[in-house]
Amino acid sequence: MSIRAGVSGGPRRFTVGMTTQHTAMIPGRAATGERDNRAWVAPAIATALLAVLGPAAVVFGGLSAMATDSCGPDDCSQALETSLTWIYGMLFYGGPLTAAAWLTAWLLPWKRRWSAVRCWAALFALVPPTIVLVLVCTLPAP
């Protein structure tokens, strides 16, 4: 540790000599600029699953209103009304979220740096249609 006086008789500053840390380079390509050859896998799996889950969620979610046919629109149980509200909310808000996540999974740069984000986006694209189908399959009795 060395002590240097400040300029023009100002306060004293204490400085420590700084050393440079050297690290060994690992042979191979840099991870940040490397092209990911398997970048297409997660979006392709999401696309294949959405081709099945998406239309099924829209059809069964749309037909779920027929669950109120036996009790009429005003005499149904609160649990059924809550489930239908969740289904239509997921169809209305989940559709654009699914499309945005699916497009994000395909349009991210195909570099290794973005592989985790791409996988999460592809997974998130599957959540709204899956929730709609689970809610339709577990509708309470009227």
Side-chain angles (χ1 to χ4, degrees):
M1 183 185 255
S2 64
I3 301 174
R4 288 193 288 170
V7 181
S8 69
R12 294 180 179 231
R13 295 186 206 158
F14 296 97
T15 60
V16 176
M18 301 181 102
T19 61
T20 304
Q21 294 181 357
H22 298 282
T23 57
M25 295 297 292
I26 298 173
R29 294 181 284 183
T32 57
E34 183 179 336
R35 181 173 168 85
D36 190 5
N37 293 332
R38 291 181 293 220
W40 59 274
V41 173
I45 291 172
T47 301
L49 289 174
L50 279 175
V52 175
L53 292 176
V58 171
V59 168
F60 290 128
L63 292 176
S64 66
M66 291 194 311
T68 62
D69 285 348
S70 64
C71 60
D74 298 328
D75 297 328
C76 292
S77 68
Q78 184 64 36
L80 179 61
E81 294 294 329
T82 303
S83 291
L84 290 175
T85 302
W86 273 97
I87 288 170
Y88 292 125
M90 272 296 165
L91 285 174
F92 185 75
Y93 295 110
L97 290 175
T98 295
W102 180 75
L103 282 173
T104 300
W106 276 111
L107 297 177
L108 280 171
W110 287 29
K111 304 287 182 181
R112 216 172 257 268
R113 172 182 179 183
W114 296 101
S115 62
V117 178
R118 183 178 300 103
C119 288
W120 280 107
L123 182 66
F124 183 71
L126 299 173
V127 170
T130 304
I131 289 176
V132 168
L133 290 174
V134 167
L135 286 171
V136 167
C137 290
T138 59
L139 275 175

